Amino acid sequence: MWSTIGELGEFGLIERVTARFPGTGDVILGPGDDAAIVAASDGRVVATTDLLVENRHFRRDWSSAEDVGRKAAAQNIADIAAMGARPTALLVGFAGPPELPVAWAEELSEGLRAECAAAGAAVVGGDTVAAGEITLAVTALGDLGGHPAVRRDGALPGDVVAVCGRLGMSAAGFALLEAGVHDADDAERALAGRAPERGAGSGSGTAGPDAARSSAGEAPDWPDCLNEHRRPRPPYTDGPGAARLGARAMLDISDGLVQDLGHIARAGGVRIDLDSADLVPESALCEAAALLRELGRTDRTAREHMLFGGEDHALAAAFPPEAELPPQWCPIGTVAAPGADGPRVTVDGAAADARGWEHFR
Amino acid sequence: MWSTIGELGEFGLIERVTARFPGTGDVILGPGDDAAIVAASDGRVVATTDLLVENRHFRRDWSSAEDVGRKAAAQNIADIAAMGARPTALLVGFAGPPELPVAWAEELSEGLRAECAAAGAAVVGGDTVAAGEITLAVTALGDLGGHPAVRRDGALPGDVVAVCGRLGMSAAGFALLEAGVHDADDAERALAGRAPERGAGSGSGTAGPDAARSSAGEAPDWPDCLNEHRRPRPPYTDGPGAARLGARAMLDISDGLVQDLGHIARAGGVRIDLDSADLVPESALCEAAALLRELGRTDRTAREHMLFGGEDHALAAAFPPEAELPPQWCPIGTVAAPGADGPRVTVDGAAADARGWEHFR
């Protein structure tokens, strides 16, 4: 009927996609008026915004439209959770070329809806405009429920630093996608193509294409890293949970663990000492790191992916030493008074560079 | 020192622009954490979002960076006012090419700051990313102060329809800019270039280049239309004011008066009858309409610009007949029960087409 969003038109597109968005108990007025109205139970609202631009933050040949919608929602909702707040609502600005298929826009909306549903939030408004490249502008709102927010600046010497969520997997998945590895067959082909060099110089005991499969011949775990890059699963409820556990500082890890903990260190005027032995990589990450080495893409170890990878959308927090952390919070270090070199992050006693990545550069 | 935003980098740019944004009494936590925290005094927050894309919504050769910042803020804050709410905060997503001058980004920030200050709001957060085209994603938040919101759907037969703010001038200004007329000299040159045709066929009594000046030889008023397009001045405080006056339905006029009143008509299941004699154009608009005719760009009369022009960001509302409207609210029509042809807008008794413009088409 309408194959492109240009044919469907702005109002037609808005009508089709907003029909997908159910309300929640927090939605006082949903899409369709000049603005939405959302409950802010304790007289405060938490708000954050992020932009995702095609070919910078996602690629249509790497991620489905639903993946893109889920990720756009997830990374914003994670910022709300990282304040210790419960997400309530999303507003979504969408810019795209008129020749974009309506089906793509609808699947994107489905991804936004599904991720909001997983977090207990609702899409309450937005805007659609024509543009040369696809851009998603997502704003998330949240509710602190009467509790103080957990900011970046409250860490105290003696606190325990802990993380909740998966580290390094998104970055490893990104590196694999960059290497043209979208699934196990791609990996096999890529390794086969590199076989002579590996035989000549790698010194690795792993037989070539087997690295794409798994040493036991079973289905490999490393494709989980692709999934983690395409659809991060931030631990939403553990944000407010951390606030209840007494977290003194918290943030969402988006630019890499070491770089983001640097914000907590500087904001609190403290040193954060990490023990890399406490960073235990999942088998999927170990396999991905091995595969990336085999492919000649990066020598990063699994632990280095955990320390420096980006787009994790895990939570990192500083808790008082007496806090009883549930198992999803993994202690990885401690907070100390700063040394002569000021607030910073160390790994196994050595100053760590923030090798996360900056946009624009 | 740093001439482009690519050289300055994401964090450097954020640091430079956020330094410009002062807080207000509504800002509980400003930029710098995962999310901002804003007061929502009565347990509700009003929220709206809009995208502006370069060469679709603004042009760098038509508008200064400060103009663009002011307009981006204004059009969002107008949506908050149109709910009857007081604007409290803005979040701004900014995408731009690395080669963009830092000065342009700083002037843009100044525009955002100044317009927020004019409306009593604060910039509390945002995001900056690299992209091929400049895109601004603005989200505005507002506070209803314990009052009911004024939605689109409450108009009742017998109500008075009134507008507050300037109509048609932005659209006329846009048409002039499209004609290459950025100032009075451009207009003179353009008219001189058309002199033969005008002499031959226009039948207008106005002597050519004089239309660019004004009949009395004084400074002309029409450049006001250029200003109105570059920097709309929505009547922010009249939004909550209308709520106090008992407005039953209200919206921000962005796609043209007739088209937007169509939303009130359909949402309320009513007919809206406009009397074009009540639409009194300012001299600037009369001059602009005449100039556009002289230039052969459009035959629209000044009143037609008022009825069908876009991007006015004036407010239109339906008030009960007993409401005592202050002078800034100009009555232009009445609400009636719908006829056999359903909810619609008429002008001087004739059904009016919504000749506003849709994006994408």
Side-chain angles (χ1 to χ4, degrees), chain A residues 242-344:
Chain A
R244 286 191 295 272
L245 290 166
R248 287 204 261 246
M250 180 158 58
L251 47 60
D252 158 65
I253 304 169
S254 52
D255 294 331
L257 176 67
V258 168
Q259 175 155 350
D260 283 325
L261 285 179
H263 297 308
I264 289 185
R266 285 187 297 277
V270 295
R271 200 181 71 212
I272 291 178
D273 298 320
L274 300 183
D275 184 345
S276 71
D278 290 329
L279 294 169
V280 181
E282 296 183 42
S283 63
L285 182 56
C286 295
E287 290 178 19
L291 185 54
L292 286 162
R293 269 197 306 280
E294 288 288 303
L295 290 168
R297 301 296 294 197
T298 166
D299 285 332
R300 275 193 176 179
T301 63
R303 277 202 176 82
E304 285 169 342
H305 282 293
M306 295 178 78
L307 286 165
F308 304 111
E311 299 197 41
D312 299 304
H313 303 300
L315 297 172
F319 293 95
E322 65 275 14
E324 291 184 20
L325 298 183
Q328 67 269 31
W329 282 97
C330 175
I332 57 167
T334 51
V335 178
D341 50 359
R344 63 189 315 162

Side-chain angles (χ1 to χ4, degrees), chain A residues 10 38 40 43 45 51 127 139 359, chain B residues 10 38 40 43 45 51 127 139 359:
Chain A
E10 181 192 5
V38 180
V45 62
L51 288 177
D127 188 24
T139 298
H359 309 291
Chain B
E10 181 192 4
V38 181
V45 62
L51 288 177
D127 187 25
T139 299
H359 310 290

Side-chain angles (χ1 to χ4, degrees), chain B residues 201-297:
Chain B
S202 84
S204 156
T206 313
D210 285 353
R213 291 297 177 194
S214 95
S215 52
E218 295 153 7
D221 292 330
W222 64 262
D224 264 7
C225 294
L226 304 179
N227 298 337
E228 200 62 30
H229 180 74
R230 291 171 173 142
R231 295 192 182 189
R233 288 173 295 169
Y236 302 128
T237 57
D238 291 303
R244 285 190 296 271
L245 290 165
R248 287 206 260 245
M250 179 158 59
L251 46 60
D252 157 65
I253 304 170
S254 52
D255 294 329
L257 176 66
V258 168
Q259 175 156 348
D260 283 326
L261 286 179
H263 297 309
I264 288 185
R266 284 187 299 276
V270 295
R271 200 181 71 213
I272 291 179
D273 298 320
L274 300 182
D275 184 345
S276 71
D278 290 330
L279 294 168
V280 181
E282 297 183 41
S283 63
L285 182 57
C286 295
E287 289 178 20
L291 184 53
L292 286 162
R293 269 196 306 280
E294 287 288 304
L295 291 168
R297 301 296 294 196

